[in-house]
């Protein structure tokens, strides 16, 4: 669930930096405030398309990156 909460945190930050309410973001995305609240709750994983729409609505740029995790043990090496 760590990834979901990181995304939720990023959504809240982007909306805050845009100085927008959930209602304003919803209107810009053509959806409802309840949908934005669910996105920001971190309880589900939004699609890339939804993240792109959120970024556009808040004047943000969506950037997805891969970061190294824990090194995997390599048996026999």
């Amino acid at each position: 669930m760590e990834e979901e909460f990181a995304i939720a945190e990023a959504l809240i930050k982007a909306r805050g930096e845009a100085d927008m309410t959930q209602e304003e973001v919803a209107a810009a995305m053509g959806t409802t405030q309840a949908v934005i609240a669910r996105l920001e709750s971190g309880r589900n994983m939004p699609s890339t398309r939804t993240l792109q729409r959120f970024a556009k609505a808040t004047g943000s740029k969506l950037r997805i990156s891969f970061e190294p995790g824990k090194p995997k043990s390599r048996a026999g090496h």
Side-chain angles (χ1 to χ4, degrees):
M1 296 257 324
E2 184 178 328
E3 291 85 8
E4 287 91 341
F5 289 118
I7 290 172
E9 185 177 317
L11 292 171
I12 293 166
K13 182 179 178 187
R15 183 172 59 79
E17 288 177 356
D19 196 26
M20 296 175 77
T21 65
Q22 288 183 342
E23 291 84 0
E24 291 168 332
V25 174
M29 289 178 66
T31 190
T32 65
Q33 178 274 330
V35 169
I36 303 305
R38 280 195 298 275
L39 288 172
E40 293 183 358
S41 74
R43 288 191 297 262
N44 58 6
M45 185 65 78
S47 69
T48 304
R49 183 173 185 273
T50 298
L51 294 174
Q52 283 280 36
R53 290 175 56 218
F54 192 99
K56 183 177 180 183
T58 59
S60 303
K61 180 178 178 181
L62 176 63
R63 186 173 63 205
I64 298 172
S65 65
F66 292 93
E67 298 177 5
K70 291 187 234 174
K72 296 189 180 219
S73 75
R74 298 175 69 182
H77 291 258

